[in-house]
Amino acid sequence: MKFNFIALSLLVSISLTGQKIDRVEPPFWWTGLECSDIQVLVYGEDISDLKPEINHEKVSLEDVIRTGNPNYIFLYLKISPSASEGIFPISFHDKNGRLITAYEYE
C-alpha cells in the first residue's frame, strides 16, 4: 500500500521547494491523432519564473509562451507520430538550472 501511495504522488507532481503545479490542461494526450502539435497550459504560483524542459526522444518542447500573469505558462509540444502511449516528465528549473518541480504528463 505504501508503494502505491508513493507512485501516485509522483504521478501528480514532484515539488522540491514547495512550489507546485496546480493544474495542467489538457490533463492528458493520446497518440494516433492527426495533429502532432499540442498546446499545454500549466498553472501554478509563479510558474512563469521557471524554465520548463522535456527529456524524451519522441516528445519535444517547441516553444514556451509566458503571459502577463506569472501563474500561467503555455508549452507547445511536438509528439512524434511513432510515439507510444505513456508518461513523460516535464521538469521546471530555476535560473540557476536547479530542479524546482516536475509534472508527469500522461
Side-chain angles (χ1 to χ4, degrees), residues 4-41:
N4 289 340
F5 175 74
I6 292 170
L8 180 61
S9 296
L10 287 173
L11 287 176
V12 175
S13 174
I14 301 168
S15 179
L16 301 176
T17 63
Q19 189 164 6
K20 66 179 186 143
I21 295 170
D22 295 313
R23 190 172 81 231
V24 174
E25 297 291 338
F28 55 86
W29 198 251
W30 54 95
T31 59
L33 295 176
E34 288 184 25
C35 181
S36 63
D37 298 333
I38 64 169
Q39 179 189 64
V40 177
L41 165 77

Side-chain angles (χ1 to χ4, degrees), residues 9-102:
S9 296
L10 287 173
L11 287 176
V12 175
S13 174
I14 301 168
S15 179
L16 301 176
T17 63
Q19 189 164 6
K20 66 179 186 143
I21 295 170
D22 295 313
R23 190 172 81 231
V24 174
E25 297 291 338
F28 55 86
W29 198 251
W30 54 95
T31 59
L33 295 176
E34 288 184 25
C35 181
S36 63
D37 298 333
I38 64 169
Q39 179 189 64
V40 177
L41 165 77
V42 180
Y43 172 80
E45 187 173 342
D46 294 324
I47 195 70
S48 69
D49 291 342
L50 303 177
K51 179 184 177 204
E53 292 182 5
I54 294 174
N55 186 9
H56 190 279
E57 66 179 31
K58 304 285 183 169
V59 180
S60 61
L61 178 60
E62 298 293 307
D63 200 5
V64 177
I65 304 296
R66 291 169 171 80
T67 68
N69 186 325
N71 300 325
Y72 290 91
I73 193 169
F74 291 91
L75 309 179
Y76 287 83
L77 311 180
K78 180 176 281 297
I79 299 177
S80 168
S82 63
S84 58
E85 295 176 3
I87 297 170
F88 61 90
I90 303 172
S91 58
F92 293 84
H93 302 264
D94 67 10
K95 63 183 176 182
N96 297 319
R98 186 177 60 157
L99 178 65
I100 300 300
T101 191

